[in-house]
Amino acid sequence: MHISEASNISGSVSEFILLGFPCRREIQILLCVMFSLVYLLTLLGNAAIICAVWSSRKLHTPMYTLLANFSFLEMCYINTTVPNMLRNFLSETKTISFTACFLQFYFFFSMGITETFLLPLMAFDRYLAICRPLHYPTIMSSRLCMNLVGLCWVTAFLCYPVPIYFITQLPFCGPNIIDHFVCDPGPLLALSCIPAPGIELSCSILSSLIIFITFFFILWSYTLVLRAVLRVPSAAGRRKAFSTCGSHLAVVSLFYGTIMMMYISPTSGNPAGIQKIVTLLYSSVTPLVNPLIYSLRNKDMKTALRKIQIFIKTGQSKQKLMSGPRS
């Protein structure tokens, strides 16, 4: 495959080349098929959770409202990376325009920050439900829950416009090859014609603050939850509480473990291959396994999903009867 370095008349880069996963054509096609399957399963799994929460009155509670919003976020999150990655698998040039690259950067980071805000909110909800059960219905009302969710989305989308604006003002005079499958700050800053330690430091501080503040808030919430659970006299009550929190802790561990490796220092010198694998884990694998983690460990969710399955099968049976041979 021939890769050219595209520049405009002024000598600055007008498009970037996302190398993705350079390998033989046959393997590229195989990866395209595999990630297409992951993409479809992620959309279906998270859509199933949203439908289950929407259709079951029993699940019209703050806990499941947060879970439905989280599933919607995961559907949006995977759409910031995977469609373009699939296109690149089948493309010879693998180019992305300057504007499209920074738009992907913005939405990719905004969705990721929204997730770092939603996860602490879900932890706080579990803290109130387990540690303050009598006050929980009055504190965490449906209205407050939706307001907090909206605040998470709005705040997250306001975090990175300024740093991204300053990165776009840097001179990119070539080369324009990004050894990644997504427009990420580390590879982008490395392509700048002049060093930008101030921008790099500001991005690092902002990422570190968001990651560590939200992570320690989650730790604090679950420390209080664990202390409360250990005081529960019945073994059945403890098992139920651990089951409810265990799925959330699994998601938190998978997500935070990977982003801490990547964004505490955007140009920390991680090999390109490691960066791709780690980014793939939190941007594609995590949205895929989240529906499995939440549905397999939650009795109410499994019941709601079975009802949807029965409803779909019943609808298909009726359709077959209606479309059958008529005398």
Side-chain angles (χ1 to χ4, degrees), residues 11-188:
S12 63
V13 168
S14 60
E15 60 183 24
F16 295 102
I17 296 167
L18 290 172
L19 282 186
F21 301 91
C23 52
R24 287 181 317 188
R25 184 67 178 169
E26 298 80 7
I27 298 176
Q28 294 264 331
I29 294 171
L30 180 64
L31 287 172
C32 182
V33 172
M34 185 177 73
F35 282 110
S36 295
L37 184 62
V38 168
Y39 178 63
L40 290 173
L41 288 174
T42 301
L43 294 181
L44 288 172
N46 285 287
I49 286 180
I50 294 171
C51 291
V53 173
W54 179 77
S55 62
S56 175
R57 284 185 173 273
K58 191 176 181 180
L59 302 184
H60 289 180
T61 62
M63 172 183 165
Y64 291 106
T65 299
L66 291 172
L67 180 55
N69 273 278
F70 189 70
S71 292
F72 175 70
L73 170 64
E74 296 291 52
M75 293 172 71
C76 296
Y77 198 20
I78 199 169
N79 272 299
T80 62
T81 56
V82 174
N84 188 66
M85 183 171 64
L86 295 177
R87 182 185 68 84
N88 280 353
F89 279 133
L90 304 176
S91 171
E92 289 292 333
T93 57
K94 302 184 185 299
T95 57
I96 182 170
S97 71
F98 187 91
T99 303
C101 184
F102 280 95
L103 280 173
Q104 185 189 54
F105 179 6
Y106 172 67
F107 284 105
F108 179 62
F109 260 66
S110 297
M111 297 293 177
I113 294 169
T114 306
E115 188 156 339
T116 64
F117 289 163
L118 272 181
L119 287 172
L121 181 55
M122 294 168 78
F124 181 64
D125 175 72
R126 290 302 81 209
Y127 158 75
L128 289 176
I130 294 170
C131 301
R132 299 286 186 270
L134 297 178
H135 300 95
Y136 176 69
T138 53
I139 297 174
M140 187 58 80
S141 63
S142 296
R143 183 175 180 178
L144 176 63
C145 179
M146 291 307 299
N147 286 340
L148 290 173
V149 168
L151 183 64
C152 288
W153 280 85
V154 172
T155 307
F157 274 75
L158 292 176
C159 283
Y160 256 86
V162 173
I164 289 175
Y165 170 76
F166 282 114
I167 295 174
T168 62
Q169 301 308 300
L170 292 173
F172 294 93
C173 49
N176 65 334
I177 301 169
I178 299 175
D179 191 5
H180 213 309
F181 64 88
V182 64
C183 291
D184 213 41
L188 278 170

Side-chain angles (χ1 to χ4, degrees), residues 172-210:
F172 294 93
C173 49
N176 65 334
I177 301 169
I178 299 175
D179 191 5
H180 213 309
F181 64 88
V182 64
C183 291
D184 213 41
L188 278 170
L189 286 170
L191 292 181
S192 173
C193 301
I194 59 171
I199 295 177
E200 182 185 340
L201 182 63
S202 64
C203 288
S204 180
I205 291 172
L206 181 59
S207 299
S208 299
L209 284 174
I210 292 169

